[in-house]
């Protein structure tokens, strides 16, 4: 899910020069609503910092990412990509106080045109994403990353709202392919042998979409013979985010990567928009299309 951390005490500007792309989604435009929860793009540095704080609470305080390069007083998960990405954020409007205190979940979005102009994709440090992009020159890629939700908000409706926001964003930017890393907890792939083997045997991307972990970080996912894998048990053992990608119709790259800084085993997700299951397009599409209009 994450490459080596850069020092958090380094200043990461939040308004760098970006490619001359049109402002397709106005700042603050609402992309979805379920009850008191709303999803939209972060509008300013205060909201981005609040999203970074949510990430810190989940990745560091809860999941135990290493703090070697994190200043104790900052308590933010920050890297250079924050300045070039759009930040999808979920607000609980029932919380009293300024908007940035209402942020309870986030997703980081990096479009291909932005990545090409500012140093590449985040996932390229772990997987051969650049090779995949080069194979599809007519496609628009969107990288999804840094997904997290505070524990008390990890409900079906929060996940649905995030996906409603992602879908509205993807439609407004004419995205053809969604990609990104997703993580299993821990740094021992064999601890997830059945789940990883299920992905390798049954959910691998076909030749046109095939990509691999970079050679220096490659770990095999094919840890059990296909006949030994119990699909039901494998699915039960998967993190919710990975199961969610599977339901949408995603396929996975070859090999996994151990990220010792974040204490995870990462797999690569490939989701061409035309392969998203029709029932999910119908489910998310009506509301997302309304908010994207």
């Amino acid at each position: 899910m994450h490459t080596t951390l850069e020092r958090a005490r380094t200043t990461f500007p939040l308004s760098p020069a970006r490619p001359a792309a049109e402002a397709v989604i106005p700042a603050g435009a609402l992309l979805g609503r379920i009850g008191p929860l709303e999803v939209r793009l972060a509008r300013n540095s205060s909201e981005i910092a609040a999203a970074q704080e949510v990430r810190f609470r989940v990745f560091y305080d809860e999941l135990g990412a290493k703090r070697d390069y994190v200043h104790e007083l900052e308590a933010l998960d920050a890297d250079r990509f924050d300045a070039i990405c759009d930040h999808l954020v979920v607000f609980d409007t029932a919380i009293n106080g300024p908007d940035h205190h209402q942020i309870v979940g986030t997703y980081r979005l990096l479009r291909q045109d932005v990545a090409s102009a500012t140093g590449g994709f985040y996932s390229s440090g772990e997987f051969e994403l650049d090779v995949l992009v080069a194979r599809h020159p007519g496609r628009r890629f969107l990288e999804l990353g840094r997904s997290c939700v505070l524990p008390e908000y990890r409900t079906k409706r929060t996940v649905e709202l995030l996906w409603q926001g992602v879908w509205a964003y993807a439609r407004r930017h004419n995205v053809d392919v969604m990609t990104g890393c997703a993580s299993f907890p821990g740094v021992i792939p064999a601890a997830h042998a059945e789940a990883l083997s299920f992905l390798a045997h049954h959910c691998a991307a076909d030749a046109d979409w095939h990509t691999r972990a970079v050679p220096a970080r490659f770990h095999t996912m094919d840890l059990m013979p296909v006949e030994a894998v119990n699909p039901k048990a494998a699915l039960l053992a998967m993190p919710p985010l990975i199961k969610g990608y599977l339901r949408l119709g995603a396929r996975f790259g070859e090999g996994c990567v151990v990220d010792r800084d974040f204490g995870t085993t990462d797999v690569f997700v490939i989701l061409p928009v035309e392969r998203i299951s029709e029932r999910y397009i119908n489910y998310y599409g009506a509301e997302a299309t309304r908010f994207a209009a």
Side-chain angles (χ1 to χ4, degrees):
M1 182 170 60
H2 309 281
T3 51
T4 302
L5 287 172
E6 301 179 51
R7 294 185 182 273
R9 65 183 68 190
T10 301
T11 299
F12 297 109
L14 294 179
S15 300
R18 293 177 63 160
E22 70 278 16
V24 177
I25 300 178
L30 191 64
L31 297 180
R33 180 190 291 121
I34 299 177
L37 300 180
E38 296 181 353
V39 65
R40 57 176 169 77
L41 298 181
R43 296 174 296 187
N44 51 48
S45 59
S46 294
E47 291 183 352
I48 293 174
Q52 292 169 328
E53 183 180 357
V54 167
R55 284 160 29 188
F56 187 94
R57 290 167 63 183
V58 173
F59 298 141
Y60 290 84
D61 291 341
E62 181 183 351
L63 300 179
K66 291 183 179 179
R67 299 171 186 249
D68 296 356
Y69 303 128
V70 176
H71 194 286
E72 289 294 332
L73 298 180
E74 290 177 331
L76 301 176
D77 169 46
D79 64 17
R80 78 167 185 86
F81 290 92
D82 285 317
I84 61 174
C85 290
D86 285 324
H87 299 261
L88 192 70
V89 283
V90 174
F91 296 81
D92 181 354
T93 61
I95 296 174
N96 292 324
D99 286 358
H100 64 274
H101 289 168
Q102 298 176 337
I103 293 175
V104 299
T106 184
Y107 233 130
R108 196 166 73 174
L109 311 176
L110 179 55
R111 301 193 312 275
Q112 179 181 346
D113 59 322
V114 178
S116 297
T118 54
F121 286 108
Y122 178 92
S123 299
S124 296
E126 295 190 354
F127 296 91
E128 295 177 344
L129 175 54
D130 296 339
V131 175
L132 180 64
V133 171
R135 198 184 306 140
H136 297 275
R139 303 276 190 148
R140 294 183 180 92
F141 282 72
L142 173 66
E143 182 183 58
L144 309 177
R146 285 298 208 275
S147 172
C148 65
V149 176
L150 293 178
E152 59 269 34
Y153 290 90
R154 287 175 197 159
T155 63
K156 181 180 178 182
R157 70 177 186 170
T158 307
V159 172
E160 288 178 350
L161 190 59
L162 278 168
W163 271 104
Q164 188 181 115
V166 168
W167 183 247
Y169 183 94
R171 293 297 80 206
R172 284 291 289 271
H173 286 283
N174 296 314
V175 168
D176 300 303
V177 188
M178 292 184 255
T179 62
C181 299
S183 302
F184 288 84
V187 297
I188 303 174
H192 305 285
E194 192 156 39
L196 290 172
S197 298
F198 177 87
L199 294 178
H201 293 309
H202 300 291
C203 308
D206 58 30
D208 199 32
W209 295 103
H210 176 266
T211 191
R212 289 171 49 90
V214 297
R217 305 185 72 181
F218 184 97
H219 292 264
T220 186
M221 294 166 59
D222 183 5
L223 298 168
M224 295 173 60
V226 62
E227 62 272 12
V229 175
N230 181 321
K232 184 175 181 180
L235 288 168
L236 286 172
M238 286 183 194
L241 181 63
I242 294 177
K243 284 191 281 192
Y245 283 131
L246 280 172
R247 292 189 192 103
L248 288 167
R251 288 296 178 260
F252 292 79
E254 180 184 356
C256 56
V257 169
V258 171
D259 186 336
R260 297 193 180 277
D261 285 325
F262 277 83
T264 58
T265 297
D266 301 342
V267 295
F268 192 66
V269 181
I270 306 117
L271 182 58
V273 166
E274 74 265 19
R275 298 193 183 187
I276 296 177
S277 302
E278 188 67 28
R279 61 175 175 153
Y280 285 101
I281 292 209
N282 292 335
Y283 186 76
Y284 293 112
E287 282 296 289
T289 299
R290 178 166 71 88
F291 283 107

